[in-house]
Amino acid sequence: PLGLKHDWFKQCLALHASCEHWKGDAQAALGGTQMVFRKVLSMRRYVCISFFLLLVPGLLRLIYSDIHGCGMVGKSLQLIAPQVGSWPWFVTHWIGMRNVAVAIQLIMPGYSNTRFWARPLAHGRHCTLTVDDVVGPNATGMETLLDLLSRLNISATFFVTADKFTKNAKGRQLLRRAVSEGHEIGNHGLADAPMWMMSRDQVNEAITSWESEMHSILPRWPARDADRRWFRPPMGLMSPTLSSVFQERGYHIAIADTWSDDTGVDNPSFHTKVIESSTCDGSIIVLHAPSIPARFQTLEIIDRS
């Protein structure tokens, strides 16, 4: 009968709709499963990459520690619980700054002839304390630093910025005092600003101007025949041009293997721990002149180290 056929047809349509709905649910479930599976694979990929990034530097750290004569293995693990801003330096010193330096010298233009640390000496272990941005706007802070170094019987290398603070009467007096007390003076440019974009002529002009200022302030520069002409690029930024011109002018370029961003991380305990844990034979330590409140921690770091 027509009514029976009609009911049968409706039932078929309903069954078809039910099947389509089930198919949609199954596809959605399958899609969700595939998405989860893809996320798992992605997470596994990230885990593997992270493990590789930790494994390779860790192996380098073990392999090169004896070559560097640095005693980095184990000691730098004492840097625990740093604040957020200091995590990059925690990781860098865990890997070993000298290992990082090797990569920088090989990969980055202008750094192949820079010195991150000094060669070990035959007559014993040694390290170098360097202070950047001398003299700075706070003459009292610089005076206090000189008093502290004198009390601790430490000789440092001051990388001098030949700006208005160095050229004024107090700045000139402080530089003369530093040299008379046995500290070394190095070139840190004419301003606390990068020099790596300068042309050859601009670099030569900057060197000539800086040396002229030092010769007008100090009885002699370099102070002793055995002293080298040292240059540290502002903000540590080098270029092939900068490297080439300074070498032509008889300079040696010093970076460092012990630094923990004392201008950006206000935490004397952290910086002290970096120095205690990472300094080794031939290390070059970087701190900054206590010329502004954010850098007064330099005095505490030196006193505690």
Side-chain angles (χ1 to χ4, degrees):
L2 185 59
L4 181 60
K5 289 182 179 180
H6 181 67
D7 290 341
W8 176 82
F9 183 69
K10 287 196 296 182
Q11 289 175 2
C12 287
L13 288 177
L15 180 61
H16 177 73
S18 177
C19 289
E20 288 296 324
H21 180 72
W22 176 84
K23 180 181 177 182
D25 289 344
Q27 288 176 337
L30 181 61
T33 302
Q34 289 175 337
M35 184 177 296
V36 170
F37 185 67
R38 283 196 296 268
K39 286 183 178 180
V40 170
L41 287 178
S42 179
M43 288 176 62
R44 189 176 67 176
R45 188 180 301 117
Y46 286 129
V47 169
C48 291
I49 292 173
S50 300
F51 177 75
F52 179 78
L53 291 175
L54 288 173
L55 177 64
V56 171
L59 290 174
L60 285 174
R61 185 168 171 266
L62 291 170
I63 293 170
Y64 282 110
S65 59
D66 288 336
I67 296 174
H68 293 323
C70 198
M72 288 184 295
V73 176
K75 292 183 68 178
S76 57
L77 292 178
Q78 295 175 12
L79 303 178
I80 56 174
Q83 64 195 69
V84 174
S86 58
W87 269 105
W89 301 104
F90 169 80
V91 173
T92 298
H93 285 286
W94 183 87
I95 295 171
M97 187 60 191
R98 296 190 180 189
N99 295 326
V100 175
V102 170
I104 291 173
Q105 289 174 315
L106 290 174
I107 297 171
M108 298 184 67
Y111 287 87
S112 59
N113 292 310
T114 57
R115 299 194 179 194
F116 285 81
W117 67 92
R119 295 183 182 89
L121 297 177
H123 57 266
R125 297 167 66 84
H126 70 293
C127 64
T128 300
L129 172 63
T130 65
V131 182
D132 285 4
D133 299 341
V134 174
V135 172
N138 188 331
T140 303
M142 188 63 193
E143 285 180 321
T144 306
L145 175 59
L146 287 170
D147 292 341
L148 175 63
L149 294 175
S150 177
R151 176 170 63 83
L152 297 174
N153 194 29
I154 295 174
S155 295
T157 298
F158 293 135
F159 282 97
V160 175
T161 304
D163 55 13
K164 62 181 181 180
F165 304 111
T166 299
K167 298 175 188 177
N168 65 32
K170 192 63 177 177
R172 298 165 77 91
Q173 177 188 338
L174 288 169
L175 275 190
R176 293 191 189 106
R177 176 187 167 185
V179 171
S180 69
E181 294 180 358
H183 302 294
E184 193 174 19
I185 302 299
N187 189 335
H188 200 44
L190 301 175
D192 188 20
M195 298 174 63
W196 68 283
M197 292 292 288
M198 288 183 173
S199 65
R200 291 186 64 87
D201 289 343
Q202 289 173 323
V203 175
N204 268 307
E205 184 179 346
I207 294 172
T208 300
S209 296
W210 188 92
E211 290 181 353
S212 177
E213 291 297 338
M214 292 305 106
H215 290 146
S216 71
I217 296 171
L218 303 173
R220 182 184 178 190
W221 184 84
R224 295 166 289 272
D225 291 335
D227 288 351
R228 295 183 175 183
R229 294 169 177 254
W230 289 106
F231 169 69
R232 173 169 289 149
M235 302 184 182
L237 299 175
M238 286 296 296
S239 70
T241 300
L242 207 57
S243 176
S244 175
V245 175
F246 269 96
Q247 288 184 80
E248 290 169 6
R249 297 287 292 264
Y251 281 81
H252 299 268
I253 303 168
I255 307 293
D257 67 344
T258 306
W259 185 53
S260 48
D261 193 14
D262 60 306
T263 60
V265 179
D266 186 11
N267 187 337
S269 297
F270 173 70
H271 300 300
T272 301
K273 186 65 74 173
V274 167
I275 292 173
E276 291 176 347
S277 300
S278 301
T279 300
C280 50
D281 195 11
S283 281
I284 302 174
I285 303 166
V286 177
L287 293 171
H288 287 74
S291 54
I292 56 177
R295 299 183 181 183
F296 289 168
Q297 63 176 338
T298 292
L299 301 171
E300 182 177 349
I301 294 167
I302 292 174
D303 198 24
R304 292 172 60 176
S305 300

